[in-house]
Amino acid sequence: MRNLNWILIICFITANAVSAQKRELRTANKMFEKGQLQELKAYLDENQAIFDNADQGILDDLSVLQGKIARLDRDYSKALEIIKSLESKESYAEQVSIMKDSLANDLISEAIEANENSNYGSAAEKLYMSYLLRPDQYQDYLYFAASSAITARDTLTALDYYNQLKDIQYEGIQTKYFVTDKSTGEELEVSLSEYEIFQRSKDYENFRTEQTPSRYPEIVKNLGVLYLQIGEMDTALGVIQEARKENPEDLELILTEGNIYIQMDEKEKFLELTEMAAERDPDNAVIFFNLGVVTSDLGEKEKALEYYEKSIALDPTYMNAYLNLTNLILEDDQKIVDEMNNLGTSKADDAKYEELKAQRETLYLETIPLLEKALTIENNCGVIRTLQNIYNVLDDSEKLNQYRDLYNQDCSVESE
């Protein structure tokens, strides 16, 4: 009989405790609904002991409230943690979904603001938390988080995010919708809902859709670049080569693999891949410039000259191509000068001197149009100084004075 009394007492105490917990939780929720956030937090702190031995249902209800408070406090990590702890519980599915939507809206708004204020690290963090809310639906946010991390120069975080994108084979392909306005003949890009509405209208025609390119090659390319930045050359190369097995014709991947080889000082492999890239993009001035650089380094002067000239033909404003082409043409200048200085005073030597002098002048005359064109692109003090030196050697005092005055006018302060 005595044991029965104890059981009844325990049940009574437990029932009172549960009743108190529910009462305090109702009070707390009413305070939240009234917007009494500071008072609510103080109230929960004061009554924490009441919930110490609560059952899981009460604790889960308390977690929902704490998650809402954390969100309003902008303690997004805590809010996310609470949501993840509840999302496997079917009875909370609706509440968790609402909490996810609210938190995602806050995170995305703040991420946009952070990016606009150049606070890219904060934007990356918030975008990544948004992705974690619904990993199956919010993969775009992981992609944007990775991009923000790169802009923030947070290499390790960017590596983490891009590896996650690679692991889930994210492509980010989207459908774009286009219609043509009959009255103007203008093609317009519209939303899916507009596209469906306009199809029922007589004012529009030529309805079409278009798939955006896959983002996967870009992701792998960025992984390669990031591994290069931390000195993991072999890993970078492996990532790119794996991607190229699936996309052997992708220009970005070809160029990235070539860039890795040049970082590894394997110029022949770089040349092979860059020539392959040039076949696929024959109008790319930068590719032909790079071919000029590497063939010059490999001692293939005639090829390098052709590549620099091709680069200029494709982009007549490409300053570096003019400068490199000029330097390549003048490559033999010092050798000619040394040979002239080593000649004697015989008639044969005098004749050889004149021959070498003519060769030197020919080199200079070949570079003058290039340098003068370069000056129309950029008022480069190095180019002005080179033209001074050339006209001095050519004994053209008028041109020498012209470029000397120009140098003194635009570059004298810079040279001090």
Side-chain angles (χ1 to χ4, degrees), residues 169-226:
Q169 296 284 302
Y170 171 80
E171 292 191 285
I173 296 172
Q174 298 177 341
T175 302
K176 291 186 174 183
Y177 301 90
F178 298 90
V179 301
T180 299
D181 187 329
K182 286 184 179 179
S183 64
T184 64
E186 180 184 2
E187 185 175 63
L188 307 170
E189 182 178 352
V190 297
S191 66
L192 173 59
S193 58
E194 289 173 326
Y195 185 79
E196 292 172 342
I197 292 170
F198 290 158
Q199 283 182 311
R200 298 191 291 272
S201 169
K202 296 180 180 180
D203 297 328
Y204 297 92
E205 61 184 358
N206 299 332
F207 300 94
R208 70 179 185 88
T209 61
E210 181 181 297
Q211 297 284 298
T212 60
S214 170
R215 289 168 172 166
Y216 188 73
E218 176 205 341
I219 289 163
V220 178
K221 180 195 75 171
N222 286 342
L223 270 174
V225 171
L226 290 165

Side-chain angles (χ1 to χ4, degrees), residues 205-348:
E205 61 184 358
N206 299 332
F207 300 94
R208 70 179 185 88
T209 61
E210 181 181 297
Q211 297 284 298
T212 60
S214 170
R215 289 168 172 166
Y216 188 73
E218 176 205 341
I219 289 163
V220 178
K221 180 195 75 171
N222 286 342
L223 270 174
V225 171
L226 290 165
Y227 278 120
L228 275 178
Q229 289 177 3
I230 61 174
E232 295 189 18
M233 301 284 191
D234 291 337
T235 305
L237 189 59
V239 167
I240 298 299
Q241 289 177 337
E242 179 186 345
R244 283 203 61 219
K245 288 178 183 177
E246 297 180 15
N247 302 277
E249 302 300 313
D250 188 272
L251 181 64
E252 285 296 315
L253 294 178
I254 293 170
L255 290 171
T256 304
E257 185 178 355
N259 182 53
I260 293 171
Y261 276 118
I262 203 67
Q263 296 282 337
M264 299 170 75
D265 203 31
E266 294 191 29
K267 294 174 182 175
E268 289 81 2
K269 290 293 294 182
F270 173 82
L271 179 60
E272 176 187 334
L273 287 158
T274 310
E275 286 177 339
M276 189 185 301
E279 291 176 5
R280 286 155 178 75
D281 190 5
D283 297 325
N284 191 317
V286 176
I287 290 177
F288 284 96
F289 174 82
N290 289 337
L291 284 169
V293 172
V294 74
T295 49
S296 177
D297 287 346
L298 291 171
E300 300 180 33
K301 183 174 180 178
E302 291 305 316
K303 271 192 173 183
L305 288 169
E306 290 177 11
Y307 285 137
Y308 286 136
E309 288 169 354
K310 177 70 171 177
S311 179
I312 289 170
L314 291 170
D315 182 1
T317 66
Y318 198 167
M319 185 70 170
N320 286 338
Y322 287 99
L323 299 181
N324 280 27
L325 179 56
T326 299
N327 290 336
L328 191 58
I329 293 170
L330 294 177
E331 195 176 63
D332 294 331
D333 182 53
Q334 189 57 51
K335 185 167 66 174
I336 294 172
V337 171
D338 291 342
E339 192 175 348
M340 291 170 72
N341 290 337
N342 289 329
L343 292 172
T345 57
S346 67
K347 286 185 178 180

